[in-house]
Amino acid sequence: MSMMNEFRQFAMRGNVVDLAVGVIIGGAFGRIVDSLVQDVIMPPIGKLFGGLDFANYYIPLNNQGTSLALAEAKKAGAVIAYGNFLTILLNFIILAFIIFQMVRLMNRMRERIVPTEAAAAPATPEDVLLLREIRDSLRRPPEQ
């Protein structure tokens, strides 16, 4: 079997195609969450902190001024861009929460579809239990 045929067989497996679709949708969803955080959530938070762009918060490491925009401060030297980190962290928390809710919903739907084991096994009637005891006692060898 040639390598191209082997690769084609590998790439056309259901799991690989499902994974590719998941990665593409996840990338698009990540961009939606980025926009939500940067364009909807962070502006009001920035307004609460004095009208500054939260992504431009940084700690200068080369004695550059703190009044510069983040891009200009990076050109002047190294900075710790903690505002940008906090924005990305908020993106992650929102994305993780949404994925958690989706998995939780899928688990609930799966529980409704799959019957529970407790309901599948009915209790044994008492007369059947008594008959089993009689059967077992008849099988025992007589005591001497």
Side-chain angles (χ1 to χ4, degrees), residues 60-127:
L61 298 177
N62 288 344
N63 296 327
Q64 62 267 46
T66 57
S67 62
L68 300 173
L70 179 61
E72 294 173 9
K74 283 184 176 181
K75 288 178 185 174
V79 297
I80 297 175
Y82 69 90
N84 193 29
F85 172 75
L86 292 176
T87 302
I88 291 172
L89 182 64
L90 184 59
N91 281 354
F92 172 76
I93 290 170
I94 291 172
L95 190 61
F97 180 74
I98 291 171
I99 290 172
F100 166 73
Q101 292 298 328
M102 288 172 45
V103 169
R104 188 172 164 222
L105 179 67
M106 292 298 294
N107 287 339
R108 284 186 180 174
M109 289 174 41
R110 187 175 295 138
E111 286 175 3
R112 289 181 185 166
I113 293 172
V114 177
T116 58
E117 292 179 18
T124 307
E126 188 176 338
D127 57 343

Side-chain angles (χ1 to χ4, degrees), residues 20-88:
V21 169
V23 167
I24 292 168
I25 290 175
F29 189 70
R31 290 171 53 196
I32 290 170
V33 171
D34 286 343
S35 176
L36 173 71
V37 170
Q38 292 175 0
D39 301 332
V40 176
I41 295 174
M42 294 312 283
I45 292 174
K47 184 136 176 99
L48 287 174
F49 287 105
L52 296 174
D53 182 13
F54 199 68
N56 280 325
Y57 287 180
Y58 64 90
I59 298 172
L61 298 177
N62 288 344
N63 296 327
Q64 62 267 46
T66 57
S67 62
L68 300 173
L70 179 61
E72 294 173 9
K74 283 184 176 181
K75 288 178 185 174
V79 297
I80 297 175
Y82 69 90
N84 193 29
F85 172 75
L86 292 176
T87 302
I88 291 172

